[in-house]
Amino acid sequence: MTEAFIAAVDALFADPNIGEDALWKAGGVGPEVAVRIIRKSPDRLAEFGESRAVLPTLALDIRRSQAATIADGDLIVIGAETFKIIGEPMGDALGLVAACEATAF
């Protein structure tokens, strides 16, 4: 059954409407490694007393098969944009995808 999930994840990342080519730089200074990512921009709700604010965020999904050791401080370059991974990436139950929060660098 795991092979079916691997094939499904590979298909999602390969889809030109979903996945994007990017470069991963471990530690922000390592050699660039070509990867495929899925960019997500969910809004988050922050509450301050009685006030609430909607904050934009950036999340990047990356296959663990391409970036097994992705970590806080690594850089992802997508075209002319560079993003820094903030916090430790969260993994899925099968260890196929790492969900990373990122900020423009």
Side-chain angles (χ1 to χ4, degrees), residues 20-86:
E20 298 179 66
D21 290 326
L23 297 171
W24 167 49
K25 295 178 76 173
V29 295
E32 295 178 338
V33 176
V35 296
R36 292 282 291 175
I37 59 98
I38 295 175
R39 187 189 321 214
K40 301 180 289 187
S41 298
D43 288 337
R44 290 219 174 119
L45 187 63
E47 296 187 24
F48 303 99
E50 296 295 318
S51 300
R52 296 191 303 175
V54 177
L55 305 172
T57 62
L58 175 66
L60 303 172
D61 285 350
I62 188 166
R63 288 184 290 183
R64 287 281 187 187
S65 63
Q66 291 185 313
T69 60
I70 193 161
D72 182 40
D74 289 0
L75 297 181
I76 299 289
V77 180
I78 307 168
E81 300 174 288
T82 301
F83 302 98
K84 184 175 184 176
I85 303 301
I86 53 175

